Amino acid sequence: MAFVADDKLSNEIFSILESKFLFPLSSSAATSPGIPEAPPRGAAAGRVRVLSIDGGGNPSDGLLAAASLARMESSLRSRTGDASACIADFFDLAAGSGAGGVLVAMLFARGHEGRPLFSAADALQLLLAESRRRSGGVFGSASTRRGLFRGLFGSLPGDLLRQIFGDSSLRETLKPVLIPCYDLATGAPFVFSRADAVESDAYDFLIRDVCAATCADAVELRSVDGRTRVSAVGGGVALANPTAAAITHVLHNKQEFPLAVGVEDIMVVSLGASSAANFSLKGKSQIRRIAVDGAADTVDQSVSTAFGGLRTSNYVRIQANGFTSGGGTPKTMMEAIDEILSQRNVESSLFRGKKISEQTKAETLEWSAGELVKEEEQRWKSSIPTVMVKQMVTPRTSSATTASSTSRWP
């Protein structure tokens, strides 16, 4: 009972700190010209749904996240009865760094007839096929150990990137996306944002260039109008876990998310990368891996603390601690991933580090799919839109703000 009382008090204390310091919203922001005033609490149609995928260069990073999303997508299709339902239909914003950034681009880029370019299942199959082709069918070869996504997308512009994305740019994605890199020219993180791209050509970049920037060791790219130059290093260096950046974007972007005033108005699904316990890495590579994963875990702990008592309902984190790529074929790799997803999930506990969850990772993904469908159904019942996404009228010329499309399932 003492622990319960301590947790309640800790939650109350941190809620005060969170509202004032962690995700502050000035009163002037909500009443600025052109920004709608937020209605009373409870009037919103539902929570803003955020997908966040960690960065990394190992094969396990991209494949584990893709497999998790493929499993979630399968559940979404089963629950809605729509065989064409995709991950992009159920999230309002997606953020991804490194391997996660490439996955976000694949899942949220605009494809045929305005549908997502890739389903999660198709993205997973592409990654498996390309990794098999480049490694001679064996994971753990030299090419895959140095990083699946870096090997596939590390050169600019890259034949595969061009084949996948063509000349599509950030502003043409289906939903708002955030993909970070580290800009050597300014010595600071740089976040490629659809919201910025819609506002100005100076912040609109080709998606294939953005993917290269978030994964490459070093690459230089320019915006579509040539005015903005970025000397990029992979996003994992700056924002290995982009969850906090995504939450901050939602809470301060009042044009697209006018009703989100606190973490209670947000649902986050965050997919982590493998742990630093990869003994095949030596020296500087191991140190860098520990640093990147340590930074990602710090963000996880901070975000979990910010959600406080809502962390069990509004914040989901899938973290495959201890999973390494090892060697083997794509089949054995997928068997290993399925085994990891069948294990109990690990969650951050308020001021107490990590704990073993009651649910497995697969069960957590299944539960998350159910919550996403409930949010869609709730939006059908409300006349107040949760999201006002800027839609392109004509690419690279003009834009308009409209209510986010809701579920296709009444």
Side-chain angles (χ1 to χ4, degrees), residues 50-54 93-97 100-101 104 108 176-180 242-243 245-246:
V50 174
L51 173 65
S52 177
I53 310 177
D54 283 15
L93 178 143
S97 178
V104 163
F108 286 81
V177 298
L178 301 172
I179 301 176
T243 304

Side-chain angles (χ1 to χ4, degrees), residues 81-98:
D82 186 349
S84 65
C86 292
I87 289 294
D89 297 326
F90 292 87
F91 286 96
D92 303 307
L93 178 143
S97 178

Side-chain angles (χ1 to χ4, degrees), residues 24 53 119-120 175 235 257:
I53 310 177
S119 67
K175 302 284 184 69
F257 309 104

Side-chain angles (χ1 to χ4, degrees), residues 124-134:
L124 175 60
Q125 291 305 312
L126 175 63
L127 299 183
L128 287 170
E130 281 297 317
S131 59
R132 180 170 59 247
R133 181 176 69 84
R134 291 171 181 263

Side-chain angles (χ1 to χ4, degrees), residues 360-409:
T360 65
K361 295 174 179 63
E363 290 171 341
T364 301
L365 289 168
E366 183 72 21
W367 177 87
S368 299
E371 290 297 299
L372 291 170
V373 172
K374 288 179 183 177
E375 288 295 325
E376 282 292 306
E377 294 172 346
Q378 185 175 348
R379 295 185 185 191
W380 270 96
K381 301 174 183 177
S382 175
S383 60
I384 302 176
T386 304
V387 181
M388 301 290 292
V389 176
K390 294 181 179 179
Q391 302 289 348
M392 297 309 302
V393 177
T394 302
R396 302 194 180 109
T397 58
S398 57
S399 65
T401 301
T402 62
S404 173
S405 59
T406 54
S407 169
R408 293 171 290 164
W409 315 279

Side-chain angles (χ1 to χ4, degrees), residues 202-232:
Y203 295 102
D204 190 21
F205 293 81
L206 296 179
I207 296 177
R208 65 173 186 258
D209 291 354
V210 173
C211 291
T214 198
C215 287
D217 290 322
V219 66
E220 184 171 309
L221 63 154
R222 291 183 178 273
S223 57
V224 293
D225 65 356
R227 287 189 291 168
T228 303
R229 179 178 65 86
V230 179
S231 298

